Structures are given as structure tokens and as C-alpha cells.
Short mmCIF file of all heavy atoms in Angstrom, two decimals:
data_model
loop_
_atom_site.label_atom_id
_atom_site.label_comp_id
_atom_site.label_asym_id
_atom_site.label_seq_id
_atom_site.Cartn_x
_atom_site.Cartn_y
_atom_site.Cartn_z
N MET A 1485 8.36 7.56 2.64
CA MET A 1485 8.27 6.46 3.57
C MET A 1485 7.97 5.18 2.76
O MET A 1485 7.57 5.22 1.61
CB MET A 1485 7.23 6.64 4.66
CG MET A 1485 5.82 6.72 4.10
SD MET A 1485 4.62 6.90 5.44
CE MET A 1485 4.96 5.26 6.30
N LYS A 1486 8.17 4.06 3.40
CA LYS A 1486 8.02 2.78 2.69
C LYS A 1486 7.14 1.81 3.51
O LYS A 1486 7.15 1.81 4.71
CB LYS A 1486 9.39 2.11 2.49
CG LYS A 1486 10.43 2.93 1.72
CD LYS A 1486 11.71 2.22 1.65
CE LYS A 1486 12.85 3.11 1.14
NZ LYS A 1486 12.62 3.78 -0.11
N ILE A 1487 6.41 1.10 2.74
CA ILE A 1487 5.69 -0.05 3.39
C ILE A 1487 5.99 -1.33 2.61
O ILE A 1487 6.45 -1.26 1.44
CB ILE A 1487 4.15 0.19 3.39
CG1 ILE A 1487 3.59 0.28 2.02
CG2 ILE A 1487 3.83 1.46 4.14
CD1 ILE A 1487 2.11 0.30 1.88
N ASN A 1488 5.80 -2.41 3.23
CA ASN A 1488 6.03 -3.71 2.59
C ASN A 1488 4.73 -4.24 2.05
O ASN A 1488 3.74 -4.32 2.76
CB ASN A 1488 6.69 -4.68 3.56
CG ASN A 1488 8.12 -4.38 3.79
OD1 ASN A 1488 8.82 -3.90 2.90
ND2 ASN A 1488 8.59 -4.67 4.98
N CYS A 1489 4.76 -4.71 0.84
CA CYS A 1489 3.64 -5.36 0.22
C CYS A 1489 3.30 -6.64 1.03
O CYS A 1489 4.21 -7.43 1.28
CB CYS A 1489 3.89 -5.65 -1.27
SG CYS A 1489 2.57 -6.62 -2.03
N LEU A 1490 2.03 -6.84 1.32
CA LEU A 1490 1.65 -8.03 2.05
C LEU A 1490 1.64 -9.25 1.20
O LEU A 1490 1.65 -10.36 1.67
CB LEU A 1490 0.27 -7.83 2.75
CG LEU A 1490 0.23 -6.74 3.78
CD1 LEU A 1490 -1.21 -6.68 4.36
CD2 LEU A 1490 1.19 -6.92 4.88
N SER A 1491 1.61 -9.00 -0.12
CA SER A 1491 1.49 -10.15 -1.02
C SER A 1491 2.87 -10.65 -1.44
O SER A 1491 3.14 -11.83 -1.32
CB SER A 1491 0.73 -9.69 -2.28
OG SER A 1491 0.65 -10.73 -3.23
N CYS A 1492 3.79 -9.77 -1.89
CA CYS A 1492 5.06 -10.23 -2.43
C CYS A 1492 6.19 -9.80 -1.53
O CYS A 1492 7.35 -10.23 -1.72
CB CYS A 1492 5.24 -9.66 -3.82
SG CYS A 1492 5.49 -7.90 -3.94
N GLY A 1493 5.98 -8.94 -0.53
CA GLY A 1493 7.05 -8.51 0.33
C GLY A 1493 7.92 -7.41 -0.18
O GLY A 1493 8.82 -6.90 0.49
N HIS A 1494 7.65 -6.96 -1.41
CA HIS A 1494 8.45 -5.89 -2.04
C HIS A 1494 8.13 -4.58 -1.36
O HIS A 1494 7.02 -4.39 -0.87
CB HIS A 1494 8.12 -5.87 -3.56
CG HIS A 1494 9.13 -5.12 -4.33
ND1 HIS A 1494 10.24 -5.77 -4.85
CD2 HIS A 1494 9.23 -3.84 -4.70
CE1 HIS A 1494 10.98 -4.91 -5.52
NE2 HIS A 1494 10.37 -3.72 -5.46
N THR A 1495 9.14 -3.71 -1.32
CA THR A 1495 8.89 -2.38 -0.73
C THR A 1495 8.17 -1.46 -1.66
O THR A 1495 8.51 -1.34 -2.83
CB THR A 1495 10.27 -1.79 -0.35
OG1 THR A 1495 10.95 -2.69 0.54
CG2 THR A 1495 10.09 -0.43 0.33
N ILE A 1496 7.15 -0.84 -1.15
CA ILE A 1496 6.40 0.14 -1.90
C ILE A 1496 6.83 1.53 -1.42
O ILE A 1496 6.71 1.82 -0.24
CB ILE A 1496 4.87 -0.03 -1.75
CG1 ILE A 1496 4.49 -1.44 -2.17
CG2 ILE A 1496 4.15 1.06 -2.55
CD1 ILE A 1496 3.02 -1.77 -1.85
N ASP A 1497 7.25 2.40 -2.32
CA ASP A 1497 7.73 3.72 -1.95
C ASP A 1497 6.52 4.70 -2.03
O ASP A 1497 5.86 4.84 -3.01
CB ASP A 1497 8.78 4.17 -2.97
CG ASP A 1497 10.16 4.38 -2.30
OD1 ASP A 1497 10.12 4.90 -1.18
OD2 ASP A 1497 11.15 3.99 -2.89
N LEU A 1498 6.35 5.39 -0.91
CA LEU A 1498 5.30 6.41 -0.87
C LEU A 1498 5.94 7.76 -0.65
O LEU A 1498 6.85 7.93 0.22
CB LEU A 1498 4.30 6.12 0.24
CG LEU A 1498 3.57 4.74 0.16
CD1 LEU A 1498 2.72 4.53 1.39
CD2 LEU A 1498 2.74 4.67 -1.09
N ASP A 1499 5.52 8.74 -1.37
CA ASP A 1499 6.10 10.06 -1.20
C ASP A 1499 5.44 10.81 -0.05
O ASP A 1499 4.55 10.29 0.62
CB ASP A 1499 6.09 10.89 -2.49
CG ASP A 1499 4.69 11.19 -2.97
OD1 ASP A 1499 3.76 11.34 -2.16
OD2 ASP A 1499 4.49 11.26 -4.21
N ASP A 1500 5.86 11.99 0.23
CA ASP A 1500 5.39 12.77 1.37
C ASP A 1500 3.91 13.09 1.35
O ASP A 1500 3.32 13.40 2.37
CB ASP A 1500 6.20 14.03 1.49
CG ASP A 1500 7.65 13.78 1.98
OD1 ASP A 1500 7.90 12.65 2.34
OD2 ASP A 1500 8.47 14.69 1.93
N ALA A 1501 3.35 12.97 0.16
CA ALA A 1501 1.92 13.26 0.00
C ALA A 1501 1.11 12.21 0.86
O ALA A 1501 -0.07 12.41 1.14
CB ALA A 1501 1.46 13.22 -1.41
N TYR A 1502 1.72 11.11 1.17
CA TYR A 1502 1.05 10.02 1.89
C TYR A 1502 1.32 10.10 3.37
O TYR A 1502 1.07 9.11 4.11
CB TYR A 1502 1.51 8.64 1.35
CG TYR A 1502 1.03 8.35 0.03
CD1 TYR A 1502 1.73 8.74 -1.16
CD2 TYR A 1502 -0.20 7.68 -0.14
CE1 TYR A 1502 1.26 8.44 -2.40
CE2 TYR A 1502 -0.67 7.32 -1.42
CZ TYR A 1502 0.05 7.74 -2.55
OH TYR A 1502 -0.42 7.46 -3.81
N SER A 1503 1.74 11.19 3.91
CA SER A 1503 2.06 11.32 5.32
C SER A 1503 0.77 11.11 6.18
O SER A 1503 0.84 10.62 7.24
CB SER A 1503 2.71 12.66 5.62
OG SER A 1503 1.75 13.70 5.36
N ASP A 1504 -0.35 11.52 5.57
CA ASP A 1504 -1.61 11.40 6.27
C ASP A 1504 -2.62 10.91 5.26
O ASP A 1504 -3.20 11.70 4.48
CB ASP A 1504 -2.02 12.75 6.87
CG ASP A 1504 -2.96 12.57 8.06
OD1 ASP A 1504 -3.64 11.51 8.12
OD2 ASP A 1504 -2.98 13.47 8.86
N TYR A 1505 -2.80 9.60 5.13
CA TYR A 1505 -3.53 9.03 4.03
C TYR A 1505 -4.31 7.85 4.46
O TYR A 1505 -3.78 7.00 5.26
CB TYR A 1505 -2.55 8.69 2.92
CG TYR A 1505 -3.16 8.01 1.72
CD1 TYR A 1505 -3.79 8.73 0.74
CD2 TYR A 1505 -3.02 6.64 1.57
CE1 TYR A 1505 -4.37 8.13 -0.36
CE2 TYR A 1505 -3.54 6.02 0.45
CZ TYR A 1505 -4.21 6.75 -0.52
OH TYR A 1505 -4.72 6.11 -1.60
N GLU A 1506 -5.51 7.68 3.93
CA GLU A 1506 -6.23 6.52 4.14
C GLU A 1506 -6.88 6.08 2.83
O GLU A 1506 -7.64 6.83 2.23
CB GLU A 1506 -7.33 6.65 5.26
CG GLU A 1506 -8.09 5.41 5.50
CD GLU A 1506 -9.00 5.56 6.76
OE1 GLU A 1506 -9.10 6.65 7.31
OE2 GLU A 1506 -9.57 4.52 7.15
N GLY A 1507 -6.51 4.93 2.34
CA GLY A 1507 -7.01 4.50 1.07
C GLY A 1507 -6.19 3.30 0.46
O GLY A 1507 -5.47 2.67 1.20
N GLN A 1508 -6.32 3.21 -0.78
CA GLN A 1508 -5.68 2.05 -1.41
C GLN A 1508 -4.48 2.43 -2.20
O GLN A 1508 -4.42 3.49 -2.82
CB GLN A 1508 -6.73 1.35 -2.32
CG GLN A 1508 -7.87 0.78 -1.53
CD GLN A 1508 -8.91 0.08 -2.47
OE1 GLN A 1508 -8.89 0.22 -3.70
NE2 GLN A 1508 -9.78 -0.71 -1.87
N VAL A 1509 -3.45 1.57 -2.17
CA VAL A 1509 -2.31 1.72 -2.99
C VAL A 1509 -2.06 0.39 -3.72
O VAL A 1509 -2.44 -0.65 -3.25
CB VAL A 1509 -1.04 2.09 -2.17
CG1 VAL A 1509 -1.15 3.49 -1.56
CG2 VAL A 1509 -0.69 1.08 -1.12
N LYS A 1510 -1.41 0.53 -4.85
CA LYS A 1510 -1.16 -0.66 -5.66
C LYS A 1510 0.32 -0.99 -5.65
O LYS A 1510 1.16 -0.08 -5.83
CB LYS A 1510 -1.64 -0.41 -7.06
CG LYS A 1510 -1.74 -1.64 -7.91
CD LYS A 1510 -2.35 -1.30 -9.28
CE LYS A 1510 -2.62 -2.54 -10.09
NZ LYS A 1510 -3.23 -2.21 -11.37
N CYS A 1511 0.67 -2.23 -5.42
CA CYS A 1511 2.03 -2.66 -5.49
C CYS A 1511 2.50 -2.65 -6.93
O CYS A 1511 1.89 -3.24 -7.81
CB CYS A 1511 2.19 -4.07 -4.83
SG CYS A 1511 3.88 -4.76 -5.03
N TYR A 1512 3.65 -1.98 -7.17
CA TYR A 1512 4.16 -1.90 -8.58
C TYR A 1512 4.59 -3.32 -9.04
O TYR A 1512 4.61 -3.56 -10.23
CB TYR A 1512 5.31 -0.92 -8.65
CG TYR A 1512 5.04 0.38 -8.02
CD1 TYR A 1512 5.74 0.80 -6.86
CD2 TYR A 1512 4.12 1.26 -8.56
CE1 TYR A 1512 5.49 1.99 -6.25
CE2 TYR A 1512 3.91 2.51 -7.93
CZ TYR A 1512 4.62 2.83 -6.78
OH TYR A 1512 4.32 4.05 -6.18
N THR A 1513 5.05 -4.11 -8.11
CA THR A 1513 5.72 -5.34 -8.43
C THR A 1513 4.67 -6.46 -8.81
O THR A 1513 4.80 -7.11 -9.81
CB THR A 1513 6.59 -5.81 -7.33
OG1 THR A 1513 7.52 -4.74 -6.98
CG2 THR A 1513 7.38 -7.02 -7.72
N CYS A 1514 3.70 -6.67 -7.91
CA CYS A 1514 2.78 -7.79 -8.09
C CYS A 1514 1.37 -7.32 -8.40
O CYS A 1514 0.49 -8.16 -8.54
CB CYS A 1514 2.83 -8.72 -6.90
SG CYS A 1514 2.08 -8.06 -5.43
N SER A 1515 1.16 -5.96 -8.38
CA SER A 1515 -0.18 -5.38 -8.67
C SER A 1515 -1.24 -5.70 -7.60
O SER A 1515 -2.38 -5.58 -7.79
CB SER A 1515 -0.74 -5.90 -10.03
OG SER A 1515 0.12 -5.46 -11.03
N ALA A 1516 -0.78 -6.12 -6.44
CA ALA A 1516 -1.69 -6.38 -5.32
C ALA A 1516 -2.23 -5.02 -4.92
O ALA A 1516 -1.57 -3.98 -4.95
CB ALA A 1516 -0.96 -7.08 -4.21
N LEU A 1517 -3.44 -5.08 -4.39
CA LEU A 1517 -4.08 -3.88 -3.91
C LEU A 1517 -4.10 -3.95 -2.35
O LEU A 1517 -4.59 -4.82 -1.72
CB LEU A 1517 -5.54 -3.78 -4.45
CG LEU A 1517 -6.14 -2.43 -4.64
CD1 LEU A 1517 -5.25 -1.57 -5.51
CD2 LEU A 1517 -7.52 -2.60 -5.30
N LEU A 1518 -3.52 -2.88 -1.77
CA LEU A 1518 -3.45 -2.78 -0.32
C LEU A 1518 -4.21 -1.55 0.15
O LEU A 1518 -4.19 -0.52 -0.44
CB LEU A 1518 -2.02 -2.65 0.13
CG LEU A 1518 -1.00 -3.66 -0.31
CD1 LEU A 1518 0.40 -3.35 0.19
CD2 LEU A 1518 -1.40 -5.06 0.27
N GLU A 1519 -4.94 -1.72 1.27
CA GLU A 1519 -5.60 -0.60 1.92
C GLU A 1519 -4.77 -0.19 3.10
O GLU A 1519 -4.52 -1.00 3.96
CB GLU A 1519 -7.01 -0.99 2.30
CG GLU A 1519 -7.81 0.18 2.76
CD GLU A 1519 -9.29 -0.21 2.90
OE1 GLU A 1519 -9.96 -0.43 1.89
OE2 GLU A 1519 -9.75 -0.32 4.04
N ILE A 1520 -4.33 1.07 3.10
CA ILE A 1520 -3.45 1.56 4.14
C ILE A 1520 -4.02 2.73 4.89
O ILE A 1520 -4.83 3.48 4.33
CB ILE A 1520 -2.04 1.89 3.54
CG1 ILE A 1520 -2.19 3.05 2.56
CG2 ILE A 1520 -1.39 0.70 2.87
CD1 ILE A 1520 -0.88 3.62 2.10
N LYS A 1521 -3.60 2.86 6.10
CA LYS A 1521 -3.94 4.05 6.87
C LYS A 1521 -2.69 4.64 7.48
O LYS A 1521 -2.00 3.92 8.25
CB LYS A 1521 -4.97 3.69 7.94
CG LYS A 1521 -5.49 4.90 8.68
CD LYS A 1521 -6.56 4.51 9.66
CE LYS A 1521 -7.12 5.76 10.36
NZ LYS A 1521 -8.13 5.47 11.37
N LEU A 1522 -2.39 5.88 7.19
CA LEU A 1522 -1.18 6.51 7.66
C LEU A 1522 -1.50 7.77 8.41
O LEU A 1522 -2.41 8.53 8.01
CB LEU A 1522 -0.25 6.89 6.53
CG LEU A 1522 0.13 5.73 5.58
CD1 LEU A 1522 0.91 6.27 4.39
CD2 LEU A 1522 0.98 4.70 6.27
N GLU A 1523 -0.85 7.99 9.53
CA GLU A 1523 -1.03 9.23 10.29
C GLU A 1523 0.36 9.78 10.71
O GLU A 1523 1.09 9.03 11.37
CB GLU A 1523 -1.87 8.97 11.54
CG GLU A 1523 -3.33 8.87 11.29
CD GLU A 1523 -4.16 8.58 12.55
OE1 GLU A 1523 -3.62 8.95 13.60
OE2 GLU A 1523 -5.26 8.03 12.43
N ASP A 1524 0.66 10.95 10.29
CA ASP A 1524 1.95 11.55 10.65
C ASP A 1524 3.13 10.60 10.38
O ASP A 1524 3.99 10.38 11.20
CB ASP A 1524 1.99 11.95 12.15
CG ASP A 1524 1.05 13.06 12.45
OD1 ASP A 1524 0.79 13.87 11.50
OD2 ASP A 1524 0.54 13.19 13.55
N PHE A 1525 3.15 10.11 9.17
CA PHE A 1525 4.19 9.22 8.73
C PHE A 1525 4.28 7.86 9.45
O PHE A 1525 5.25 7.12 9.30
CB PHE A 1525 5.58 9.87 8.74
CG PHE A 1525 5.67 11.07 7.80
CD1 PHE A 1525 5.47 12.35 8.25
CD2 PHE A 1525 5.94 10.87 6.44
CE1 PHE A 1525 5.54 13.46 7.43
CE2 PHE A 1525 6.02 11.96 5.60
CZ PHE A 1525 5.83 13.28 6.09
N CYS A 1526 3.26 7.57 10.24
CA CYS A 1526 3.21 6.29 10.93
C CYS A 1526 2.18 5.43 10.26
O CYS A 1526 1.04 5.87 9.99
CB CYS A 1526 2.89 6.45 12.42
SG CYS A 1526 4.24 7.17 13.32
N ILE A 1527 2.53 4.15 10.14
CA ILE A 1527 1.57 3.19 9.54
C ILE A 1527 0.62 2.72 10.64
O ILE A 1527 1.06 2.12 11.64
CB ILE A 1527 2.33 1.97 8.93
CG1 ILE A 1527 3.21 2.49 7.80
CG2 ILE A 1527 1.32 0.96 8.41
CD1 ILE A 1527 4.23 1.45 7.31
N LYS A 1528 -0.67 3.06 10.51
CA LYS A 1528 -1.62 2.60 11.51
C LYS A 1528 -2.24 1.29 11.12
O LYS A 1528 -2.62 0.50 12.00
CB LYS A 1528 -2.70 3.66 11.61
CG LYS A 1528 -2.25 5.01 12.11
CD LYS A 1528 -1.66 4.94 13.51
CE LYS A 1528 -1.19 6.28 14.01
NZ LYS A 1528 -0.61 6.20 15.35
N ALA A 1529 -2.39 1.07 9.84
CA ALA A 1529 -3.04 -0.16 9.38
C ALA A 1529 -2.63 -0.47 7.95
O ALA A 1529 -2.54 0.45 7.12
CB ALA A 1529 -4.53 -0.06 9.52
N VAL A 1530 -2.38 -1.72 7.70
CA VAL A 1530 -2.16 -2.18 6.27
C VAL A 1530 -3.05 -3.43 6.10
O VAL A 1530 -2.96 -4.40 6.86
CB VAL A 1530 -0.70 -2.55 5.99
CG1 VAL A 1530 -0.55 -2.96 4.51
CG2 VAL A 1530 0.21 -1.38 6.27
N ARG A 1531 -3.90 -3.40 5.10
CA ARG A 1531 -4.82 -4.53 4.90
C ARG A 1531 -4.70 -4.94 3.46
O ARG A 1531 -4.70 -4.14 2.55
CB ARG A 1531 -6.24 -4.10 5.23
CG ARG A 1531 -7.19 -5.30 5.37
CD ARG A 1531 -8.45 -4.83 6.03
NE ARG A 1531 -9.23 -3.85 5.10
CZ ARG A 1531 -9.98 -4.28 4.14
NH1 ARG A 1531 -10.21 -5.51 3.92
NH2 ARG A 1531 -10.58 -3.42 3.33
N PHE A 1532 -4.64 -6.26 3.26
CA PHE A 1532 -4.54 -6.82 1.92
C PHE A 1532 -5.95 -6.77 1.30
O PHE A 1532 -6.85 -7.32 1.88
CB PHE A 1532 -3.93 -8.19 1.97
CG PHE A 1532 -3.81 -8.84 0.64
CD1 PHE A 1532 -2.94 -8.42 -0.31
CD2 PHE A 1532 -4.71 -9.88 0.31
CE1 PHE A 1532 -2.81 -9.02 -1.51
CE2 PHE A 1532 -4.59 -10.50 -0.95
CZ PHE A 1532 -3.65 -10.06 -1.84
N VAL A 1533 -6.11 -6.15 0.16
CA VAL A 1533 -7.41 -6.14 -0.46
C VAL A 1533 -7.55 -7.26 -1.48
O VAL A 1533 -8.44 -8.12 -1.39
CB VAL A 1533 -7.68 -4.76 -1.18
CG1 VAL A 1533 -9.02 -4.77 -1.81
CG2 VAL A 1533 -7.54 -3.65 -0.17
N LYS A 1534 -6.66 -7.28 -2.44
CA LYS A 1534 -6.72 -8.35 -3.40
C LYS A 1534 -5.44 -8.33 -4.29
O LYS A 1534 -4.75 -7.35 -4.33
CB LYS A 1534 -7.96 -8.26 -4.32
CG LYS A 1534 -7.89 -7.04 -5.22
CD LYS A 1534 -9.02 -7.10 -6.28
CE LYS A 1534 -8.99 -5.88 -7.21
NZ LYS A 1534 -10.05 -6.01 -8.21
N THR A 1535 -5.19 -9.41 -4.94
CA THR A 1535 -4.14 -9.45 -5.88
C THR A 1535 -4.71 -9.54 -7.26
O THR A 1535 -5.74 -10.16 -7.47
CB THR A 1535 -3.15 -10.61 -5.62
OG1 THR A 1535 -2.14 -10.57 -6.62
CG2 THR A 1535 -3.86 -11.94 -5.66
N THR A 1536 -4.05 -8.92 -8.22
CA THR A 1536 -4.56 -8.95 -9.56
C THR A 1536 -3.62 -9.84 -10.41
O THR A 1536 -3.87 -9.99 -11.63
CB THR A 1536 -4.60 -7.59 -10.20
OG1 THR A 1536 -3.33 -6.98 -10.12
CG2 THR A 1536 -5.63 -6.68 -9.50
N ARG A 1537 -2.64 -10.40 -9.75
CA ARG A 1537 -1.72 -11.26 -10.51
C ARG A 1537 -2.41 -12.50 -11.02
O ARG A 1537 -3.08 -13.21 -10.29
CB ARG A 1537 -0.55 -11.69 -9.59
CG ARG A 1537 0.38 -12.66 -10.26
CD ARG A 1537 1.34 -13.24 -9.23
NE ARG A 1537 2.45 -12.33 -8.94
CZ ARG A 1537 3.34 -12.58 -8.00
NH1 ARG A 1537 3.26 -13.65 -7.25
NH2 ARG A 1537 4.34 -11.76 -7.79
N GLY A 1538 -2.32 -12.72 -12.35
CA GLY A 1538 -2.95 -13.87 -12.91
C GLY A 1538 -4.44 -13.81 -13.06
O GLY A 1538 -5.06 -14.69 -13.60
N ALA A 1539 -5.01 -12.67 -12.70
CA ALA A 1539 -6.48 -12.54 -12.82
C ALA A 1539 -6.83 -12.23 -14.26
O ALA A 1539 -6.00 -11.69 -15.04
CB ALA A 1539 -7.00 -11.41 -11.95
N ALA A 1540 -8.05 -12.55 -14.62
CA ALA A 1540 -8.47 -12.31 -16.01
C ALA A 1540 -8.49 -10.87 -16.36
O ALA A 1540 -8.22 -10.48 -17.47
CB ALA A 1540 -9.85 -12.95 -16.16
N GLU A 1541 -8.80 -9.97 -15.39
CA GLU A 1541 -8.83 -8.58 -15.68
C GLU A 1541 -7.42 -8.07 -15.79
O GLU A 1541 -7.05 -7.01 -15.86
CB GLU A 1541 -9.58 -7.88 -14.55
CG GLU A 1541 -8.94 -8.08 -13.17
CD GLU A 1541 -9.75 -7.40 -12.08
OE1 GLU A 1541 -10.26 -6.30 -12.33
OE2 GLU A 1541 -9.94 -7.99 -11.05
ZN1 ZN B 426 3.50 -6.85 -4.13
#
């Protein structure tokens, strides 16, 4: 399944292991950190945690 990054809008590909998942995923494109909640392949919540783009770390 796919979700859209809230920071850059790029599609993030999630494999079937994420069918029931609550936690953080990282956007490959902009390195933003998203907190997601998935139930039965449905997106229940997507929250932007932070972006690491341009950060000192
Ligand atoms: Zn992104």
C-alpha cells in the first residue's frame, strides 16, 4: 500500500508487513518522519513528526 508524504507529497511504498501498524516511517525522498496508524490496510491516521531536511543532524 502507499501513503503520501505530508512534507514533500512523494509516495511512500509500504509492504504488506504494514497492514496493521502504528508507528513511524521515514520518507525516502525528503527524510521527513511520519507517524502512521494502519488497520487492515486502511490508513487511520497520518501525522507529520518532523523533517530532517537541512537539519544539522
Ligand atoms: Zn517526503
Side-chain angles (χ1 to χ4, degrees):
M1485 65 176 297
K1486 301 178 193 306
I1487 63 170
N1488 284 328
C1489 174
L1490 296 182
S1491 178
C1492 69
H1494 198 88
T1495 302
I1496 302 172
D1497 245 319
L1498 300 176
D1499 64 33
D1500 289 349
Y1502 288 90
S1503 64
D1504 206 335
Y1505 176 78
E1506 184 171 3
Q1508 295 180 345
V1509 294
K1510 193 175 186 179
C1511 174
Y1512 312 111
T1513 306
C1514 71
S1515 296
L1517 210 53
L1518 304 176
E1519 190 168 288
I1520 62 172
K1521 186 176 183 183
L1522 305 173
E1523 283 178 23
D1524 292 332
F1525 295 98
C1526 287
I1527 299 168
K1528 297 296 181 183
V1530 183
R1531 195 167 65 85
F1532 179 72
V1533 180
K1534 68 170 180 177
T1535 180
T1536 56
R1537 175 192 280 174
E1541 59 183 320

